Each structure stands twice: as C-alpha cells, then as structure tokens.
Amino acid sequence: MSRFWSQVVRDLTPYVPGEQPKIAHLIKLNTNEHPSPPSPKVLEAIRAELGEDGARLRLYPDPNADLLKTAIAKRYAVAAQQVFVGNGSDEVLAHIFMALLKHPQPILFPDITYSFYPVYCGLYGVAHRTVALADDFSIDPEDYCQTPNGGIIITNPNAPTGRLLPLAAIDRIAGANPDSVVVIDEAYIDFGGESAIPLTARHDNLLVVHTLSKSRSLAGLRVGYAIGHPDLIEALERVKNSFNSYPLDRLAIAGAAAAIEDDEYFARACRQVIATRDQLVARLTGLGFDVLPSAANFVFARHPQRDAGELARALRARNIIVRHFKLPRIEQFLRISIGSELDCLALGNALHDILGT
Ligand SMILES: *Cc1c(COP(=O)(O)O)cnc(C)c1O
C-alpha cells in the first residue's frame, strides 16, 4: 500500500496464477499446459517471420492480425468479421467483461469456475452473482434461464472440475437469454467436448472463447480468440483499439496461424492427452480416489481419507506439483494436469508411496 495508489488499485484482488517454478526436473502438473511441443509448422512459421536478420521486427505487426483471423475463420467456417484475437484468452476475456458484461443487472456464473472471472468483475466494476453447482458439480441449465441478468459466463468443460455441459444445454441458455450476452469459455473443449461455435450462427448473443495455450501447446506464445456475431466482435475491437493497437506480436501471429492450420498434428496431440487421461483416471481410482468425470486435460480428484493439502505437500516434496485450491466446497480436491505418460506414471507411483497402499 502506498499513498500513490489510486482507489481502484487499493480495491483490487488480483488473480494468482499457478506457480511457474524456476527449479529444473520438476514434474509440473499444476497449470494445464500440454505435455507435447507445438506443431513443427509453428517453429517454421516463426523462423520465416524472423528471417535471416530479424529486420521485420523493426516494423509494427498487423494491428488486425488478419493472417490469423483468416486462418481461424477458415478452420471454424465463420466469417473473419466474427473473429476477435487477443494476447491470450485472458485478455480476450478482460475485454469481454468491459465491453459486453458491464450492465446494471449482475452477471451470472457458477460458484466453482475459473477464478479469474470475479477478478475482472473487480477490475471493471461488473456486478455479479454466483450460482451454486449441484452436489455432483454439474451445472443445471435451468438456473440460467429464469433469472434476469446482465450476462452469463460459463467455462465448458468447467474448470477446475472438468465436467462437460452438453451443447443442448448451451443452446437452451442462449435461447432463454436473448437480451444478454452468453459467453462460453472453451479453453478445454478440444479434450472431449463439442464446440458451441456452430451455435453462434443461430444466437447473436452467443460468444465462444478459445485459447491456444492448452490444446495447441502454445501457452508461452499468448494467443486467444473469440467467435460470435460481428456486432459482439465490433464491441471487442472498440475496447482493444482503446487499449493496445498491437496485442499480438509478429511471431505470435505467424506461429498461431500455423498452429491453427495444422489440424492433423493437433488432433493427434489431443488424442494422446485423452489416452493418458484415461490411464490416469484408472490409476487414481485404483488408489482409492474419487475422480470427477473429465472432458479436459486435467482431472479433479479427492481421496476420502486423506487431506488434499497434505497430499499436495507430500507430492511437492517428491518434486511433483499439482494445483490445490483452498476454496469452499473444493478444498479436499486436487487438480492434476495431464502430463506425459511418464509424468502421470511418476505421479501414480508417488501417490501409491504416500498413501502406503
Ligand atoms: C487457461 C485458461 C484461460 C487462459 O488462457 P490464456 O489464453 O493462456 O490466457 C482462460 N480460461 C480458462 C477457463 C482457462 O483454464
């Protein structure tokens, strides 16, 4: 606290990201990064953009990132005017909160979901009301169909639970709320769900957000995007152009476009994660854990006899890090990212050891 801080800064409660440790040889299963490198075509594209001497870095990038928007539009069979891109989907989400969710009525989101949403509400002064998930951590779409609201945001599959909401439920929620924007954050959709993007053709209030950080192995490049009606996209462009004209640098535009275009590599990398997830779920279940059904690249698991915080600390002592949220309802769960097969094997062995089974 300092006398120079504005009232806005005094009142902030910033998001705390999962740890990015500087120590080598850690098995890192705490921030849902992909265990495989990105498509080799990403590297080729970045090298080509750098050229022999990097002279192109003298020049500003395309403020509209048209190359990337065109690649995304083609991949999802939408028009380029339906695509917004940003510096990670976190930035895209931030612009959405300011541009489309700040209204007199409170917005709605689940009590257990991506913990950045209340942070954006605090930053932009967006009123919000949380809706409790059911005891099995599922979302009841009807909870979002009766209540007047200033907007709705749902992570699907949800984080950190991993549970998937069927497309029909999203269709129902979007249809029942014609006067508010319904945002579906699909950060994990490629690991077992069906995207709501095709529904944007029928619902002008539906906005779908994706990231290249998880299923495209590019958390370090910082690229995310939103797809929806051109009027929604225009609102985001207005905020973006009042904030930073060049959120994506030249290397990010080139690399991200190449990643989107390499569907074959992408599909294979997703299948690998899903196969490893199935093995890990079986292993954890065998060790006595209750594991929620996951359509994501992580699992959410609880041991009926052992404290989750203690398990996380015991794993940490064995150089394995997982995520433990000290939050109501989920404090006895661990969120474990799907790493490589070897990482997950090591995790299973360490837990076996810790539990003494
Ligand atoms: C990881 C994640 C994001 C952020 O993605 P970036 O593109 O890396 O900013 C957004 N939403 C959810 C639910 C996530 O888990």
Side-chain angles (χ1 to χ4, degrees):
M1 180 82 86
S2 143
R3 70 185 189 284
F4 301 117
W5 288 15
S6 69
Q7 194 57 49
V8 175
V9 169
R10 285 165 201 256
D11 293 342
L12 289 179
T13 312
Y15 178 74
V16 183
E19 186 190 0
Q20 294 293 340
K22 306 280 189 290
I23 330 162
H25 311 301
L26 270 184
I27 295 182
K28 193 173 175 304
L29 303 174
N30 67 331
T31 51
N32 300 341
E33 288 132 331
H34 202 293
S36 308
S39 156
K41 295 194 173 141
V42 171
L43 242 78
E44 266 172 50
I46 289 176
R47 286 205 184 99
E49 182 62 27
L50 276 171
E52 286 289 288
D53 55 2
R56 267 200 234 163
L57 293 183
R58 293 177 304 112
L59 306 172
Y60 281 105
D62 173 6
N64 295 317
D66 281 332
L67 179 85
L68 176 57
K69 282 186 186 168
T70 307
I72 294 167
K74 185 163 172 246
R75 167 68 171 74
Y76 292 101
V78 296
Q81 306 89 270
Q82 289 176 262
V83 181
F84 178 79
V85 296
N87 192 271
S89 62
D90 284 340
E91 184 184 82
V92 176
L93 289 166
H95 291 343
I96 290 171
F97 274 76
M98 174 179 259
L100 299 166
L101 299 179
K102 190 170 157 70
H103 299 294
Q105 290 272 19
I107 66 164
L108 307 177
F109 52 80
D111 60 340
I112 297 163
T113 189
Y114 188 34
S115 41
F116 223 135
Y117 302 154
V119 175
Y120 294 131
C121 288
L123 177 61
Y124 294 122
V126 175
H128 73 277
R129 200 144 52 81
T130 58
V131 179
L133 295 179
D135 287 342
D136 64 357
F137 297 106
S138 63
I139 288 173
D140 181 353
E142 294 313 310
D143 289 344
Y144 297 85
C145 295
Q146 267 91 46
T147 331
N149 60 76
I152 291 167
I153 182 160
I154 291 174
T155 307
N156 193 41
N158 198 10
T161 67
R163 290 206 72 140
L164 183 71
L165 188 63
L167 222 45
I170 292 166
D171 197 28
R172 161 96 180 109
I173 294 170
N177 291 277
D179 296 321
S180 29
V181 172
V182 176
V183 182
I184 307 297
D185 181 348
E186 294 189 337
Y188 303 104
I189 197 71
D190 300 320
F191 300 107
E194 203 182 335
S195 175
I197 290 172
L199 296 181
T200 61
R202 285 198 283 123
H203 298 290
D204 65 359
N205 60 330
L206 182 63
L207 193 60
V208 179
V209 181
H210 279 193
T211 174
L212 276 72
S213 297
K214 316 285 171 38
S215 57
R216 304 268 176 181
S217 307
L218 286 172
L221 205 63
R222 310 305 305 131
V223 183
Y225 55 94
I227 293 180
H229 189 280
D231 290 350
L232 302 184
I233 301 305
E234 189 185 347
L236 300 178
E237 296 289 356
R238 286 170 70 93
V239 171
K240 172 253 179 189
N241 288 319
S242 308
F243 179 76
N244 178 1
S245 306
Y246 309 103
L248 293 191
D249 63 63
R250 286 178 164 275
L251 307 183
I253 293 170
I260 295 288
E261 280 161 5
D262 196 351
D263 242 343
E264 210 182 301
Y265 182 95
F266 160 76
R268 198 161 0 106
C270 289
R271 276 199 303 272
Q272 178 60 60
V273 168
I274 292 166
T276 311
R277 179 182 71 209
D278 291 346
Q279 289 168 15
L280 181 63
V281 169
R283 183 88 199 263
L284 290 172
T285 308
L287 290 168
F289 282 87
D290 300 325
V291 187
L292 295 190
S294 170
N297 68 337
F298 57 83
V299 293
F300 206 47
R302 145 179 77 182
H303 196 282
Q305 277 97 42
R306 303 295 287 263
D307 179 70
E310 276 170 34
L311 287 177
R313 279 189 292 281
L315 285 169
R316 169 97 216 189
R318 288 164 169 79
N319 286 333
I320 298 174
I321 44 179
V322 300
R323 195 90 191 257
H324 174 231
F325 298 94
K326 284 193 200 91
L327 294 173
R329 296 186 72 187
I330 56 169
E331 68 215 341
Q332 285 311 322
F333 280 84
L334 296 177
R335 193 198 66 187
I336 304 168
S337 305
I338 307 302
S340 68
E341 250 187 292
L342 276 179
D343 288 347
C344 290
L345 208 60
L347 172 88
N349 292 343
L351 284 171
H352 181 272
D353 207 31
I354 293 162
L355 294 168
T357 44

